[in-house]
Amino acid sequence: ELAQSGRFELVLCDLEMPLMRGTEFIDVLEERSPEIASRVVIMTGDGSARIPGVPVMTKPLQPDQIQKLLKELPQEGQIGRN
């Protein structure tokens, strides 16, 4: 619900969550809010995780990494990943 009503510059999502995996979360967002789905970055403690078309960052995140991501994400109104 929040994804459909809010504006987000960046969505940080853990790969492993109690009720669903981060990849499942992205699938749901792509169906309901594709513009927001293009702003998801997966966080994980596993440095070897790879998800095609989705930025993956190893925890702990550093502030400069997040600032770089914000600059690289699509501008408002652009849908899809680069």
Side-chain angles (χ1 to χ4, degrees):
E1 289 178 32
L2 184 59
Q4 293 176 334
S5 63
R7 287 184 48 206
F8 301 89
E9 289 187 48
L10 178 65
V11 178
L12 296 173
C13 178
D14 207 325
L15 180 60
E16 298 294 335
M17 299 182 291
L19 299 178
M20 71 171 59
R21 290 181 50 88
T23 51
E24 294 172 288
F25 174 72
I26 291 170
D27 290 343
V28 170
L29 273 181
E30 285 177 344
E31 184 179 304
R32 296 180 184 178
S33 302
E35 186 169 319
I36 294 172
S38 70
R39 297 176 175 281
V40 173
V41 175
I42 294 290
M43 303 179 300
T44 181
D46 177 8
S48 66
R50 302 285 180 266
I51 302 169
V54 180
V56 177
M57 300 184 73
T58 303
K59 296 184 285 186
L61 302 182
Q62 302 301 317
D64 60 328
Q65 292 174 299
I66 296 170
Q67 289 174 345
K68 182 180 177 195
L69 281 171
L70 286 169
K71 291 178 185 174
E72 294 173 353
L73 288 173
Q75 298 298 312
E76 187 173 338
Q78 294 178 329
I79 297 177
R81 296 188 176 277
N82 295 335

